[in-house]
Amino acid sequence: MGVVDIDELTASARVVTVPMRVRFRGITAREAVVFRGPAGWGEFAPFAEYGDAESALWLRAGIEAAYQGFPEPLRTVVPINATVPAVAAAQVPEVLARFPGCRVAKVKVAEKGQSADDDVARVAAVRAALGPDGAVRIDANGGWTVPQALAVITRILEQGPLDYAEQPCATVEELAEVRGLLDGACDIAADESIRRADDPMRVAELGAADVAIVKVPPLGGVRAVLDMAAKLRAAAGVRVTVSSALDTAVGLTAGIAAAAAIPDGNAAGLGTGGFFTADLGTHPVVDGALRVAAVDPSEEAIAAVEETGERRDWWLDRMRRCAALL
């Protein structure tokens, strides 16, 4: 991918704030910069706490989308999992209703301020809603110690099987320990240990995971995701789930493209569009899957959520700093 002039990027850039239905990952609105190039739309939306070096990969991914486009897909639709935030068990049916046809659900657990009982009840409510042919994943975002992970996962396994437990603890070494102690009772997935690691391959080297959660923006683009997936599969037979970085509809296009181009992909974690009350376009969930398609945001859709003034300046300054690192 050639060098893209930052003045050209910022000239077309639009800063948006997309409101959310529920608190997710500690936020109630998603900020992003979107811009258009010869291949389509790209997105730059690293979370506010990320430093410039880490955020530069998110810009690289957006530039790839807008100026290079994506590899040819291997499939035209991508099955997805429903995503259930750390809501009360009584709210689970309402959340799952936003994911028509999904037979796999990923449930957030280990939320600060909540208890293991809350997690167990939420998972039980998801199982009840999905029925016996549904599959459940849990995601702790590194929130447990090893003893906590073993205790809560064991309680949840008493209800029924898990497809996998995602990032139960923060470090690769802890993941390897939990995986060993569970001894095949539950697969372990690595997320933060892949996308926020200096050496993502350590997960494979230490035998720390059965599944890798890969996201397009933190790895620097769709091609980087495909390369990582191939290396993990070759090194340790680790299978891959492509997931969303809480992208707007523009950014989600790249995640769908990655999931569609990975051989033997499983249900992707890309069904996050339903968390927004307004967006820049739509990727409708039909029969538990997303169609491989780009969005072309209208001027009206952008203007409805656009930021101006100080917040716009903050994002464009950040974009310029990150571009200087590419």
Side-chain angles (χ1 to χ4, degrees), residues 5 219 258 262 298:
D5 183 77
L219 289 177
I262 288 181
S298 67

Side-chain angles (χ1 to χ4, degrees), residues 123-217:
V123 174
V126 171
R127 290 189 192 278
L130 290 178
D133 63 336
V136 177
R137 303 164 171 175
I138 59 172
D139 180 10
N141 289 116
W144 288 326
T145 64
V146 170
Q148 287 172 334
L150 291 172
V152 183
I153 291 172
T154 299
R155 288 181 63 185
I156 291 173
L157 287 173
E158 290 171 356
Q159 302 173 353
L162 285 172
D163 190 29
Y164 55 70
E166 180 177 329
Q167 201 70 40
C169 304
T171 70
V172 176
E173 291 78 9
E174 288 172 320
L175 294 188
E177 184 178 356
V178 170
R179 183 170 181 257
L181 291 169
L182 286 171
D183 193 25
C186 174
D187 282 353
I188 297 299
D191 178 8
E192 287 86 351
S193 293
I194 298 287
R195 64 182 170 86
R196 303 198 72 181
D198 293 333
D199 180 11
M201 293 303 295
R202 287 191 71 238
V203 165
E205 292 165 2
L206 296 183
D210 306 278
V211 181
I213 311 300
V214 293
K215 301 179 181 181
V216 170

